[in-house]
Amino acid sequence: MDMRRIVAVLAEEAEQLFRDGVWEVAPSDGALALTTAAGLRDAVGPPDVQAGLPQIQRLEHLRETLAVLAISLARTHGRLAWFLSGSLEALEPVLRWRALPADGGGTFGTVEATPAEYTEAEDAVRRLQDALATISRAIPESRDDPLPS
């Protein structure tokens, strides 16, 4: 299953949990989801911008998304943590990518990704941005807790 499909499945599961009333997003989790979405958006730009970058920069941007997700994961528990964990797992292939030639030496198991693989990962990150924005808006309106400032 490709990264885009895994992220789509995660987003669909989250939406189903909201519809079923199983996942009631706490205001703090909503704020964290919004911050995480913004961090992903800062790291991976629009498709036309990303496609024009050298592969080494595209890889840097994708690695930055992994850092954003990992930091957010460290700051929460429960369903949002599980969602973020699944997101990190979906993007796990990026950890094995390299943008530089091996020049005859060892590569520690890394591989050079294709342009299509970069595009797939970037599309998955954009879908994560959308899903996190949806999560940030899923705070039940009956809550009296204000969002943290």
Side-chain angles (χ1 to χ4, degrees):
M1 193 178 309
D2 75 18
M3 289 178 252
R4 285 179 289 229
R5 183 67 192 135
I6 294 169
V7 168
V9 168
L10 291 169
E12 290 165 11
E13 182 178 356
E15 290 166 10
Q16 185 65 48
L17 291 171
F18 301 145
R19 281 192 300 275
D20 293 347
V22 174
W23 185 1
E24 288 193 13
V25 178
S28 60
D29 279 347
L32 181 61
L34 193 59
T35 300
T36 305
L40 296 179
R41 196 170 352 282
D42 289 345
V44 172
D48 57 329
V49 172
Q50 290 300 123
L53 296 174
Q55 285 190 347
I56 196 163
Q57 283 184 297
R58 290 176 84 177
L59 183 55
E60 288 172 6
H61 292 185
L62 288 167
R63 288 177 178 163
E64 187 176 334
T65 66
L66 295 171
V68 168
L69 291 168
I71 289 168
S72 295
L73 174 60
R75 295 181 175 157
T76 192
H77 301 280
R79 286 192 169 80
L80 182 57
W82 305 336
F83 178 84
L84 294 171
S85 177
S87 300
L88 279 161
E89 186 175 351
L91 293 171
E92 182 269 338
V94 171
L95 294 172
R96 293 187 309 274
W97 293 355
R98 62 182 163 81
L100 300 174
D103 293 334
T107 65
F108 303 99
T110 60
V111 297
E112 291 185 67
T114 66
E117 288 172 315
Y118 281 101
T119 299
E120 175 190 331
E122 292 160 351
D123 288 346
V125 169
R126 288 184 200 95
R127 180 63 177 99
L128 279 173
Q129 292 169 8
D130 293 343
L132 287 160
T134 299
I135 290 168
S136 74
R137 293 187 301 267
I139 300 168
E141 292 186 31
S142 62
R143 290 231 183 212
D144 294 327
D145 306 338
L147 282 173
S149 18

